[in-house]
Amino acid sequence: MTGSAVKILVVDDEPPIRKLLRVGLSAQGYEVHEAPNAASADRAVKENEPDLVVLDLGLPDKPGHDLLREWREDGLSMPVVILSSRTDEAGIVKALETGADDYVTKPFGINELGARIRVALRHRLQQQGEKAIFQTSGLSIDLVKRIVKVDDREIKLSPKEYDILRVLAQHAGKVLTHQFLLKQIWGPAADVQYLRVYVRQLRQKVEQIPDQPQYITTETGVGYRLREPD
């Protein structure tokens, strides 16, 4: 990313939403550009090269999913954070699997969106390869020695439990869909029930209150998210 301010393109057909995002994100120090439809968004992406796009899925001239797919097929890799209806779980999953980096559901808070944007930008700036130690609050994962600790107490995990935690740590702060995790751990034909069982077992070992997890949170109907690193 270049320039003194990060450029964000807001793509939404509703003027009040665009105004809310322009004012809120500008106050956080971002340079905000706007597009009311897919055609103008496509031009803006290719001419202005934004550092990140906030994309509404319900555009008047083309579905946001199709626009995102075309960008990824064209090799455009800027982070994309989706705006979606709270009830559109299938649409959220489809967008994430098409190449979106994260999402927020309407209505949303500008601070929540700002947090998602920071995570997406940070992931795109990270160099290839894993950090040796992942740390978030009391949870630490030594990705070289495969040692997991909670509050300095070593936790014994099964190979599959560790693999799930490792993948979540590699993408900490981002939501990972059920299908993404299944492909990473078991392969494309695996049943999502395997994942639910192992995540439940993993929470029993690393969470202080497994039914109220502070590390591995559920994104209902979508997947799981590991708390951001310290």
Side-chain angles (χ1 to χ4, degrees), residues 84-102:
S84 176
S85 127
R86 191 172 297 277
T87 58
D88 187 20
E89 294 171 359
I92 291 167
V93 171
K94 181 179 178 182
L96 291 168
E97 293 180 344
T98 301
D101 291 76
D102 216 322

PDB file of all heavy atoms in Angstrom, residues 84-102:
ATOM      1  N   SER A  84     -23.537  -7.201   4.375  1.00  0.00           N
ATOM      2  CA  SER A  84     -24.593  -8.156   4.050  1.00  0.00           C
ATOM      3  C   SER A  84     -25.736  -8.030   5.038  1.00  0.00           C
ATOM      4  O   SER A  84     -25.581  -7.510   6.144  1.00  0.00           O
ATOM      5  CB  SER A  84     -24.036  -9.582   4.082  1.00  0.00           C
ATOM      6  OG  SER A  84     -25.054 -10.524   3.849  1.00  0.00           O
ATOM      7  N   SER A  85     -26.883  -8.542   4.634  1.00  0.00           N
ATOM      8  CA  SER A  85     -28.021  -8.635   5.541  1.00  0.00           C
ATOM      9  C   SER A  85     -27.738  -9.688   6.608  1.00  0.00           C
ATOM     10  O   SER A  85     -27.052 -10.684   6.365  1.00  0.00           O
ATOM     11  CB  SER A  85     -29.270  -8.985   4.734  1.00  0.00           C
ATOM     12  OG  SER A  85     -29.917 -10.084   5.239  1.00  0.00           O
ATOM     13  N   ARG A  86     -28.244  -9.459   7.793  1.00  0.00           N
ATOM     14  CA  ARG A  86     -27.990 -10.356   8.925  1.00  0.00           C
ATOM     15  C   ARG A  86     -28.497 -11.771   8.666  1.00  0.00           C
ATOM     16  O   ARG A  86     -27.984 -12.739   9.215  1.00  0.00           O
ATOM     17  CB  ARG A  86     -28.640  -9.780  10.190  1.00  0.00           C
ATOM     18  CG  ARG A  86     -28.225 -10.471  11.477  1.00  0.00           C
ATOM     19  CD  ARG A  86     -28.738  -9.728  12.693  1.00  0.00           C
ATOM     20  NE  ARG A  86     -28.189  -8.390  12.794  1.00  0.00           N
ATOM     21  CZ  ARG A  86     -27.001  -8.117  13.323  1.00  0.00           C
ATOM     22  NH1 ARG A  86     -26.233  -9.084  13.772  1.00  0.00           N
ATOM     23  NH2 ARG A  86     -26.567  -6.873  13.396  1.00  0.00           N
ATOM     24  N   THR A  87     -29.524 -11.923   7.833  1.00  0.00           N
ATOM     25  CA  THR A  87     -30.129 -13.237   7.598  1.00  0.00           C
ATOM     26  C   THR A  87     -29.522 -13.963   6.395  1.00  0.00           C
ATOM     27  O   THR A  87     -29.895 -15.098   6.124  1.00  0.00           O
ATOM     28  CB  THR A  87     -31.639 -13.080   7.374  1.00  0.00           C
ATOM     29  OG1 THR A  87     -31.867 -12.203   6.262  1.00  0.00           O
ATOM     30  CG2 THR A  87     -32.311 -12.500   8.617  1.00  0.00           C
ATOM     31  N   ASP A  88     -28.595 -13.336   5.692  1.00  0.00           N
ATOM     32  CA  ASP A  88     -28.064 -13.927   4.460  1.00  0.00           C
ATOM     33  C   ASP A  88     -26.804 -14.738   4.739  1.00  0.00           C
ATOM     34  O   ASP A  88     -25.721 -14.427   4.251  1.00  0.00           O
ATOM     35  CB  ASP A  88     -27.768 -12.825   3.430  1.00  0.00           C
ATOM     36  CG  ASP A  88     -27.375 -13.392   2.073  1.00  0.00           C
ATOM     37  OD1 ASP A  88     -27.686 -14.574   1.810  1.00  0.00           O
ATOM     38  OD2 ASP A  88     -26.745 -12.657   1.293  1.00  0.00           O
ATOM     39  N   GLU A  89     -26.949 -15.806   5.525  1.00  0.00           N
ATOM     40  CA  GLU A  89     -25.783 -16.618   5.870  1.00  0.00           C
ATOM     41  C   GLU A  89     -25.194 -17.300   4.638  1.00  0.00           C
ATOM     42  O   GLU A  89     -23.969 -17.362   4.481  1.00  0.00           O
ATOM     43  CB  GLU A  89     -26.169 -17.663   6.915  1.00  0.00           C
ATOM     44  CG  GLU A  89     -26.552 -17.047   8.258  1.00  0.00           C
ATOM     45  CD  GLU A  89     -27.135 -18.054   9.226  1.00  0.00           C
ATOM     46  OE1 GLU A  89     -27.262 -19.235   8.845  1.00  0.00           O
ATOM     47  OE2 GLU A  89     -27.464 -17.668  10.364  1.00  0.00           O
ATOM     48  N   ALA A  90     -26.066 -17.793   3.750  1.00  0.00           N
ATOM     49  CA  ALA A  90     -25.569 -18.464   2.537  1.00  0.00           C
ATOM     50  C   ALA A  90     -24.788 -17.487   1.664  1.00  0.00           C
ATOM     51  O   ALA A  90     -23.751 -17.833   1.091  1.00  0.00           O
ATOM     52  CB  ALA A  90     -26.731 -19.067   1.753  1.00  0.00           C
ATOM     53  N   GLY A  91     -25.277 -16.251   1.569  1.00  0.00           N
ATOM     54  CA  GLY A  91     -24.582 -15.248   0.773  1.00  0.00           C
ATOM     55  C   GLY A  91     -23.233 -14.877   1.352  1.00  0.00           C
ATOM     56  O   GLY A  91     -22.259 -14.658   0.622  1.00  0.00           O
ATOM     57  N   ILE A  92     -23.156 -14.833   2.684  1.00  0.00           N
ATOM     58  CA  ILE A  92     -21.889 -14.538   3.353  1.00  0.00           C
ATOM     59  C   ILE A  92     -20.868 -15.646   3.077  1.00  0.00           C
ATOM     60  O   ILE A  92     -19.716 -15.380   2.725  1.00  0.00           O
ATOM     61  CB  ILE A  92     -22.114 -14.372   4.865  1.00  0.00           C
ATOM     62  CG1 ILE A  92     -22.915 -13.093   5.149  1.00  0.00           C
ATOM     63  CG2 ILE A  92     -20.782 -14.339   5.610  1.00  0.00           C
ATOM     64  CD1 ILE A  92     -23.443 -13.003   6.561  1.00  0.00           C
ATOM     65  N   VAL A  93     -21.297 -16.882   3.241  1.00  0.00           N
ATOM     66  CA  VAL A  93     -20.400 -18.017   2.996  1.00  0.00           C
ATOM     67  C   VAL A  93     -19.904 -18.005   1.555  1.00  0.00           C
ATOM     68  O   VAL A  93     -18.713 -18.183   1.286  1.00  0.00           O
ATOM     69  CB  VAL A  93     -21.113 -19.349   3.312  1.00  0.00           C
ATOM     70  CG1 VAL A  93     -20.268 -20.528   2.844  1.00  0.00           C
ATOM     71  CG2 VAL A  93     -21.384 -19.466   4.810  1.00  0.00           C
ATOM     72  N   LYS A  94     -20.825 -17.771   0.608  1.00  0.00           N
ATOM     73  CA  LYS A  94     -20.447 -17.732  -0.811  1.00  0.00           C
ATOM     74  C   LYS A  94     -19.419 -16.639  -1.065  1.00  0.00           C
ATOM     75  O   LYS A  94     -18.437 -16.849  -1.789  1.00  0.00           O
ATOM     76  CB  LYS A  94     -21.693 -17.498  -1.670  1.00  0.00           C
ATOM     77  CG  LYS A  94     -21.417 -17.457  -3.168  1.00  0.00           C
ATOM     78  CD  LYS A  94     -22.701 -17.242  -3.942  1.00  0.00           C
ATOM     79  CE  LYS A  94     -22.424 -17.145  -5.439  1.00  0.00           C
ATOM     80  NZ  LYS A  94     -23.683 -16.890  -6.205  1.00  0.00           N
ATOM     81  N   ALA A  95     -19.615 -15.468  -0.462  1.00  0.00           N
ATOM     82  CA  ALA A  95     -18.672 -14.364  -0.658  1.00  0.00           C
ATOM     83  C   ALA A  95     -17.302 -14.696  -0.087  1.00  0.00           C
ATOM     84  O   ALA A  95     -16.273 -14.423  -0.714  1.00  0.00           O
ATOM     85  CB  ALA A  95     -19.224 -13.095  -0.016  1.00  0.00           C
ATOM     86  N   LEU A  96     -17.267 -15.284   1.102  1.00  0.00           N
ATOM     87  CA  LEU A  96     -15.985 -15.654   1.711  1.00  0.00           C
ATOM     88  C   LEU A  96     -15.260 -16.689   0.865  1.00  0.00           C
ATOM     89  O   LEU A  96     -14.036 -16.627   0.692  1.00  0.00           O
ATOM     90  CB  LEU A  96     -16.210 -16.173   3.127  1.00  0.00           C
ATOM     91  CG  LEU A  96     -16.676 -15.127   4.151  1.00  0.00           C
ATOM     92  CD1 LEU A  96     -17.145 -15.806   5.427  1.00  0.00           C
ATOM     93  CD2 LEU A  96     -15.570 -14.121   4.444  1.00  0.00           C
ATOM     94  N   GLU A  97     -16.003 -17.644   0.326  1.00  0.00           N
ATOM     95  CA  GLU A  97     -15.380 -18.686  -0.490  1.00  0.00           C
ATOM     96  C   GLU A  97     -14.983 -18.165  -1.868  1.00  0.00           C
ATOM     97  O   GLU A  97     -14.133 -18.746  -2.535  1.00  0.00           O
ATOM     98  CB  GLU A  97     -16.315 -19.881  -0.602  1.00  0.00           C
ATOM     99  CG  GLU A  97     -16.504 -20.590   0.752  1.00  0.00           C
ATOM    100  CD  GLU A  97     -17.421 -21.797   0.697  1.00  0.00           C
ATOM    101  OE1 GLU A  97     -18.155 -21.925  -0.300  1.00  0.00           O
ATOM    102  OE2 GLU A  97     -17.407 -22.590   1.658  1.00  0.00           O
ATOM    103  N   THR A  98     -15.574 -17.043  -2.286  1.00  0.00           N
ATOM    104  CA  THR A  98     -15.209 -16.414  -3.556  1.00  0.00           C
ATOM    105  C   THR A  98     -13.954 -15.573  -3.422  1.00  0.00           C
ATOM    106  O   THR A  98     -13.297 -15.270  -4.410  1.00  0.00           O
ATOM    107  CB  THR A  98     -16.381 -15.549  -4.077  1.00  0.00           C
ATOM    108  OG1 THR A  98     -17.534 -16.382  -4.247  1.00  0.00           O
ATOM    109  CG2 THR A  98     -16.065 -14.907  -5.407  1.00  0.00           C
ATOM    110  N   GLY A  99     -13.620 -15.176  -2.192  1.00  0.00           N
ATOM    111  CA  GLY A  99     -12.401 -14.408  -2.000  1.00  0.00           C
ATOM    112  C   GLY A  99     -12.527 -13.197  -1.110  1.00  0.00           C
ATOM    113  O   GLY A  99     -11.572 -12.417  -0.988  1.00  0.00           O
ATOM    114  N   ALA A 100     -13.690 -12.996  -0.475  1.00  0.00           N
ATOM    115  CA  ALA A 100     -13.815 -11.904   0.486  1.00  0.00           C
ATOM    116  C   ALA A 100     -12.963 -12.202   1.712  1.00  0.00           C
ATOM    117  O   ALA A 100     -12.734 -13.358   2.065  1.00  0.00           O
ATOM    118  CB  ALA A 100     -15.276 -11.719   0.892  1.00  0.00           C
ATOM    119  N   ASP A 101     -12.497 -11.145   2.364  1.00  0.00           N
ATOM    120  CA  ASP A 101     -11.636 -11.310   3.529  1.00  0.00           C
ATOM    121  C   ASP A 101     -12.421 -11.360   4.829  1.00  0.00           C
ATOM    122  O   ASP A 101     -11.988 -11.990   5.789  1.00  0.00           O
ATOM    123  CB  ASP A 101     -10.615 -10.176   3.587  1.00  0.00           C
ATOM    124  CG  ASP A 101      -9.599 -10.271   2.469  1.00  0.00           C
ATOM    125  OD1 ASP A 101      -9.934  -9.933   1.318  1.00  0.00           O
ATOM    126  OD2 ASP A 101      -8.481 -10.723   2.731  1.00  0.00           O
ATOM    127  N   ASP A 102     -13.564 -10.671   4.874  1.00  0.00           N
ATOM    128  CA  ASP A 102     -14.366 -10.656   6.089  1.00  0.00           C
ATOM    129  C   ASP A 102     -15.720 -10.053   5.755  1.00  0.00           C
ATOM    130  O   ASP A 102     -15.993  -9.723   4.591  1.00  0.00           O
ATOM    131  CB  ASP A 102     -13.680  -9.868   7.202  1.00  0.00           C
ATOM    132  CG  ASP A 102     -13.915 -10.479   8.586  1.00  0.00           C
ATOM    133  OD1 ASP A 102     -15.049 -10.968   8.831  1.00  0.00           O
ATOM    134  OD2 ASP A 102     -12.995 -10.470   9.409  1.00  0.00           O
TER     135      ASP A 102
END
